[in-house]
Amino acid sequence: MEISVITAVYNGEEYLMQAVRSILEQSHKDFEYIIVNDGSRDRTKEILDGMTDPRVKVIHLEQNSGAAHALNTGIKAARGKWIALQDADDISSKQRLQKQWEYIKGDPGLVAVGSLIKCIGGNEPVAPGELLWEEAFFNQKNNLRLYQFYSTPICHGSGFFLKKAFDQIGGYDTSFRIAYDYDLWTRMFELGEISRVPEVLYSYRVHKRSLAHKNKMETTKEVLLSTFKCIALLRFNHLKRKPRLIMLGLESNFDFYREKLAPFNSYLKLDLLELSAENVQRAAYNYQARKIDGVILPAYQQTGTLISYFEQGGLSYGENLFVAWMPGRGEW
């Protein structure tokens, strides 16, 4: 058994059968399909108990513990060397598994691969602009490693990855209920490359009831906390102490940090400096004097120029120089 497909579902009766059929009708037939019911209270259990395809294995969890825990449960039970994800409200094209399998086997440096996506709406109308924004977000980046500590490289449900790599990094972090995918890919980059099949193989459903869309402030908070965690774990773990970094930004950004993030940031010691020419020079000096371990820059139009400046001062992007999008007060 080479491939195990995993779906976690919670109260997913509305779109579940579309997602399941898209997997069972794959052109590549040799796989097992593990579906984890994360304590659903709608008709999800009834739907799953009616499955008769011998490739399907259903795991019912008594209590809802979050997608990360459910996915960990399913992947732990998987027999395949490779894991393909399928979110419970999305749709895979019939050629998806075959093309991802061929793509990842053709490049031994890959530990994970996604695909290009198209966005589809649900039963409730979604603004066309939001669909276009989601597609642009997942389809337009080229060098995905550049975004390791900034954004997710692939749409979660399109993920296809090496189970050994997943186990090696400890699986999904169950402390995250929304940004568990971002956190996983950030850590998986340490074991190899992540890429995308340059074809649309996955339809991503955009609807207002998903956690990421329902509470964007909480999503932003989790993404940033995962960023801080991964920076500390992957770049400064050798220090055996909490790393100290300067974070440049605007006062409104720091309002968000102080109110929403600081009480939960156990990973980094951050000195907040308002973005100005004087403070950029101060941050560079403090690094050269070894008073700090690194710098976090704001995601603004001038960020590229700032990166060049700090690199000339001895910092290295992705090693001790990072970019984070910190919302201002008017954005949350």
Side-chain angles (χ1 to χ4, degrees), residues 242-247 257 265-271:
K242 188 182 294 188
R244 181 173 184 175
L245 284 80
I246 283 178
M247 183 164 66
Y257 174 78
N265 177 21
S266 60
Y267 312 110
L268 302 175
K269 183 175 181 180
L270 291 179
D271 297 332

Side-chain angles (χ1 to χ4, degrees), residues 1-7 17 19-36 48 50-59 74 77-80 84 94 97-98:
M1 180 71 63
E2 292 286 347
I3 300 173
S4 297
V5 183
I6 311 294
T7 291
M17 282 309 302
V20 171
R21 287 195 195 100
S22 76
I23 293 298
L24 297 181
E25 294 173 358
Q26 288 290 302
S27 60
H28 182 91
K29 303 296 184 184
D30 185 21
F31 60 86
E32 65 173 355
Y33 189 13
I34 298 174
I35 306 174
V36 183
L48 293 178
M51 300 283 178
T52 58
D53 192 300
R55 293 171 295 179
V56 175
K57 175 182 179 180
V58 176
I59 300 174
R79 295 176 293 154
K94 289 186 177 182
L97 293 184
Q98 183 66 41

